């Protein structure tokens, strides 16, 4: 019997929504500049300390206390799974980690993992986003949906749940992770991963990312391959004398875009980032092409990584055959295998796939939340760092939609109605968790 077919014992939901203070907090958070150095290049201020402190002050009114507020240590930047961009930035940007702290808030005493629920929200954002505003029904500003808006709605839901369930904060503990390093390609290595390794997790872990208020128990990981052509430049009067990286990489981009997707059975292939040069009167002998590959299981990731090698090899051979007799591109065709190189900017990250009947019954049956459609692809977020952590169930659950709400694009927005609805869902979730815990204790 599927979740949709099962009879549901939905917990009642108290009246809940964002208060005037919640709205003021969200506008304040939106006004703070929290795009990290990987997004801005390191030149702009990063006000994550201030944003986390403002959130903690609001949460203190509900009984939360700060149990951790510090950046990750240098060890967070070691290991093969740390993206190359992170290692390079940390080595060249002063105060890279110091400007990107993480915070953990706790409600109630430190309780066993089985009696704890954890919420994760990132307050760092991508760059840009447009002006901050609220017209009475819609918030605009970077982070409004990804993920400052959900973080504030979480507080509204907690407030309602606390009024309805005395067990919260006494017999049931609540953790809130406020992390940096979610955006900019950092993949949470010095944010969420660092906090998970310190044990700030619960029996249930909820990542506040836009899912259309549907429960998603999967999160893809991603890896980034870089194709480089290191050849010889030429002049436009003799275009055949050099290596034409533009034509070679353009050909390989089409080949990879055609041949790789069948291997991404539970993820996506994004062929992007082709760059050689900008002038019209020069043959560029060097350049690069970036390919981002997401996967829903580590097995798929390994197969996809191997496929890149095979598909690249066949693409270079087809290019050689196609242009071997061309006066303009014969040199490039002859040397294509020698001047084309593959390296990896990011790989080896875990993927999350959850299939815990307990979580399904709790969230779908008891709390009455909607499931993520089985045929809809998952997406990448920091939830990957809970993969394989013993005694935990992890879901991604938040208001709005990454595409429809223009997350990562100009004009990002969050509708107040969606945030209010999310607060109600959070209240139901917490009440259901508390009742489940009490039932297990009896």
């Amino acid at each position: 019997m599927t979740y949709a077919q099962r009879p549901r014992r939905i917990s009642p939901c108290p009246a809940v929504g964002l208060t005037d203070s919640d709205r003021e907090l969200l506008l304040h958070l939106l006004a703070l500049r929290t795009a990290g150095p990987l997004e801005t290049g390191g030149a702009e201020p990063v006000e994550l300390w201030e944003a986390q402190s403002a959130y903690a002050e609001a949460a203190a009114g509900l009984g939360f206390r700060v149990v951790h507020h510090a950046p990750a240590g240098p060890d967070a930047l070691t290991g093969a799974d740390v993206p190359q961009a992170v290692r390079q930035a940390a080595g060249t940007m002063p105060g890279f980690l110091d400007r990107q702290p993480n915070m953990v808030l706790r409600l109630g005493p430190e309780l066993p993992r089985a009696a704890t629920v954890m919420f994760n929200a990132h307050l760092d954002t991508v760059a840009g986003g447009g002006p901050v505003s609220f017209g009475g029904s819609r918030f605009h500003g970077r982070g409004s949906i990804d993920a400052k808006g959900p973080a504030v709605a979480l507080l509204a839901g907690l407030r309602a749940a606390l009024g309805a369930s005395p067990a919260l904060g006494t017999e049931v503990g609540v953790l809130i992770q406020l992390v940096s390093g979610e955006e900019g390609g950092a993949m949470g290595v010095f944010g969420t991963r660092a906090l998970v390794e310190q044990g700030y997790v619960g029996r249930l872990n909820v990542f506040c990312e836009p899912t259309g208020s549907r429960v998603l128990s999967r999160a893809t990981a991603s890896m980034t391959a870089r194709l480089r052509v290191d050849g010889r430049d030429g002049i436009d009067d003799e275009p055949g004398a050099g290596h034409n990286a533009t034509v070679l990489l353009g050909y390989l981009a089409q080949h990879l875009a055609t041949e790789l997707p069948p291997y991404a059975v539970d993820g996506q292939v994004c062929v992007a980032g082709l760059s050689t040069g900008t002038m019209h009167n020069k043959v560029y002998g060097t350049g690069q092409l970036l390919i981002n590959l997401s996967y829903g299981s580590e097995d798929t990731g390994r197969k996809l990584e191997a496929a890149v090698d095979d598909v690249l090899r066949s693409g270079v051979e087809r290019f050689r055959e196609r242009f071997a007799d061309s006066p303009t591109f014969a040199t490039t065709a002859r040397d294509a295998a020698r001047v084309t190189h593959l390296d990896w900017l990011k790989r080896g990250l875990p993927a999350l796939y959850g299939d815990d009947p307990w979580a399904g019954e709790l969230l779908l049956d008891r709390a009455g939340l909607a499931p993520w459609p089985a045929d809809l692809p998952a997406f990448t977020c920091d939830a990957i760092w809970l993969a394989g952590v013993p005694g935990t169930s992890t879901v991604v659950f938040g208001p709005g939609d990454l595409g429809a709400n223009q997350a990562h694009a100009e004009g990002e927005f969050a509708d107040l109605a969606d945030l209010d609805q999310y607060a109600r869902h959070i209240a139901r979730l917490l009440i259901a968790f508390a009742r489940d815990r009490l039932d297990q204790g009896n």
Side-chain angles (χ1 to χ4, degrees):
M1 183 180 296
T2 66
Y3 287 141
Q5 294 171 327
R6 293 192 332 215
R8 296 188 172 186
R9 305 181 300 278
I10 300 174
S11 301
C13 177
V16 59
L18 271 66
T19 65
D20 289 344
S21 295
D22 293 330
R23 300 176 193 183
E24 291 173 6
L25 173 62
L26 179 51
L27 288 170
H28 176 59
L29 294 177
L30 293 176
L32 291 173
R33 295 167 291 184
T34 57
L38 289 172
E39 285 284 334
T40 66
E44 298 181 13
V46 184
E47 297 174 317
L48 278 164
W49 286 95
E50 294 85 347
Q52 291 164 349
S53 295
Y55 191 96
E57 183 177 351
L62 302 180
F64 282 89
R65 69 186 191 281
V66 177
V67 294
H68 176 85
H69 196 195
D75 289 350
L77 304 181
T78 61
D81 54 1
V82 177
Q84 186 179 111
V86 174
R87 294 196 298 269
Q88 290 177 341
T92 58
M93 297 180 186
F96 178 78
L97 287 176
D98 291 340
R99 291 188 284 169
Q100 300 182 86
N102 304 302
M103 174 178 278
V104 180
L105 305 173
R106 186 189 299 279
L107 178 68
E110 184 174 354
L111 294 171
R113 181 173 298 179
T116 302
V117 58
M118 185 274 281
F119 296 93
N120 173 291
H122 68 91
L123 297 186
D124 68 316
T125 66
V126 300
V132 174
S133 66
F134 177 60
S137 62
R138 175 170 289 184
F139 293 92
H140 278 98
R142 179 59 77 222
S144 53
I145 201 67
D146 185 27
K148 295 176 180 179
V152 173
L154 169 63
L155 290 180
L158 278 158
R159 185 184 302 114
L162 285 168
S165 179
L168 290 168
T170 54
E171 298 171 81
V172 173
V174 181
L175 292 173
I176 300 177
Q177 294 184 0
L178 299 171
V179 301
S180 61
E182 202 275 347
E183 303 288 11
M187 300 298 294
V189 293
F190 56 83
T192 297
R193 181 177 71 167
L195 297 182
V196 170
E197 289 176 348
Q198 293 175 64
Y200 293 115
V201 299
R203 174 68 178 91
L204 176 66
N205 303 278
V206 181
F207 283 73
C208 304
E209 296 279 339
T211 63
S213 290
R214 297 168 296 185
V215 176
L216 171 61
S217 59
R218 296 172 281 125
T220 57
S222 65
M223 52 189 173
T224 304
R226 177 173 63 182
L227 303 187
R228 293 182 294 108
V229 171
D230 296 318
R232 183 177 64 253
D233 290 348
I235 189 172
D236 62 332
D237 294 307
E238 297 182 38
H243 297 109
N244 197 313
T246 306
V247 174
L248 175 53
L249 288 172
Y251 183 94
L252 292 175
Q254 295 181 64
H255 181 73
L256 292 164
T258 301
E259 300 295 327
L260 277 180
Y263 295 93
V265 295
D266 50 15
Q268 303 287 340
V269 173
C270 178
V271 180
L274 197 162
S275 58
T276 54
T278 59
M279 300 300 294
H280 66 282
N281 58 349
K282 179 179 178 179
V283 173
Y284 290 93
T286 61
Q288 69 174 23
L289 171 68
L290 301 178
I291 306 115
N292 205 52
L293 308 153
S294 64
Y295 51 93
S297 70
E298 294 183 35
D299 182 62
T300 299
R302 287 190 292 269
K303 292 177 180 177
L304 195 52
E305 183 177 336
V308 172
D309 285 310
D310 294 338
V311 171
L312 175 59
R313 192 177 302 111
S314 68
V316 169
E317 178 60 23
R318 290 185 186 181
F319 181 87
R320 187 191 66 78
E321 295 172 355
R322 171 68 176 80
F323 293 104
D325 298 325
S326 167
T328 304
F329 304 115
T331 298
T332 307
R334 182 192 67 218
D335 298 336
R338 178 176 64 82
V339 300
T340 303
H341 309 281
L342 168 67
D343 61 353
W344 292 90
L345 304 183
K346 177 177 64 187
R347 62 175 167 175
L349 298 170
L352 174 74
Y353 185 86
D355 189 20
D356 185 347
W358 170 83
E361 180 180 355
L362 175 75
L363 300 175
L364 305 183
D365 294 354
R366 295 194 178 188
L369 306 180
W372 182 268
D375 59 347
L376 195 64
F379 56 86
T380 302
C381 70
D382 279 7
I384 60 174
W385 296 114
L386 268 295
V389 177
T392 67
S393 293
T394 299
V395 298
V396 187
F397 178 65
D401 179 270
L402 288 168
N405 288 80
Q406 297 172 236
H408 294 204
E410 293 303 304
E412 181 180 349
F413 69 91
D415 285 326
L416 177 61
D418 288 341
L419 299 181
D420 285 344
Q421 181 191 55
Y422 184 59
R424 291 192 291 272
H425 290 328
I426 289 295
R428 282 213 302 259
L429 180 156
L430 285 163
I431 293 168
F433 183 90
R435 288 181 176 174
D436 178 79
R437 177 62 185 171
L438 294 176
D439 288 345
Q440 291 185 35
N442 293 331

